[in-house]
Amino acid sequence: MSYLFRDQSWVQLQEPLERGTLLILPVGTTEEHGPHLPVDTDARIAEAYGHGLARALLPEVPVLLLDTIRYGYSMKIMRQWPGTIVVRTRVFMDMIFDICRSLLEMGFSKLALLDCHGHHSGALNVVSRELCDACDRAVAILSPAALSRDEFNAIRRSPQGGAIHAGEWETSLLLHLSPEVVDLSRATDVDTMRYHSDFIAGDNFLGRQRVTWSTWYLQDSQTGVYGDPTQATAETGAKILEAAIANGARFLREFYAQG
Ligand SMILES: [Zn+2]
């Protein structure tokens, strides 16, 4: 039987409702990702992550995978290149809230969002609080970047500042998932993030971020990249995805077993 939510009739949804099936909602966006990656990079990663988690959990944990959210919010700085489609933060938050509330009111109680775009993190956290107040249910939010951080840092080849946007982490994942849409001949390291401090890590993956401050305004990106994609490999991408799935599935088994 299909694990895709969209394939079910209302009759077929009755059994998953009775079993307390876990729902997974991947959240990506459509945004420029440099001259070497497609604009659906975040959505593509979100969708692959959703499939990977569903396959890792089934049949032990019953799962239905929802369609990926493909549009969301990006800062203005990302709109200087073609390809970035922006949904205003409040519209985006209302849409995610309404989708989740529909599912919770339907009777599903275990819902996990996959946060696959950095500009969404705060918005999704607020939505999760609002859902607690509205529905008395706490949804989970998983980030494949956070859940693969240690494994990526152990094998990365780029320096600090090499993995923030369309850099080594994302380019490696796309080389693994969809090499036919990656044009490495256009990748350069000119937009590696140069600012680092004890409070702000050079990229998302060093686990040293102690204050919130967008450093994207400190240097003009020439190519729409903030990082170094030239060090990316499909092998790194495979290891990133494997780690994010293994760690995410470990958490979701706990999440499913509680309450
Ligand atoms: Zn991205």
Side-chain angles (χ1 to χ4, degrees), residues 59-80:
E60 174 199 346
V61 175
V63 174
L64 283 175
L65 177 64
L66 289 138
D67 279 343
T68 299
I69 304 294
R70 295 188 160 271
Y71 301 100
Y73 166 74
S74 296
M75 288 195 297
K76 183 177 160 192
I77 201 168
M78 307 311 294
R79 303 174 205 167
Q80 55 191 303

Side-chain angles (χ1 to χ4, degrees), residues 217-234:
Y217 287 82
L218 294 180
Q219 73 185 58
D220 287 332
S221 173
Q222 296 173 40
T223 64
V225 173
Y226 291 87
D228 179 2
T230 65
Q231 299 302 315
T233 68

Side-chain angles (χ1 to χ4, degrees), residues 145-146 149-150 152-153 156 160 197-211:
R149 178 178 289 144
D150 295 345
F152 173 64
N153 277 333
R156 65 183 294 171
Q160 270 198 65
S197 85
D198 285 344
F199 297 95
I200 297 280
D203 58 49
N204 298 334
F205 296 96
L206 296 169
R208 281 173 36 205
Q209 188 107 356
R210 292 194 282 167
V211 301

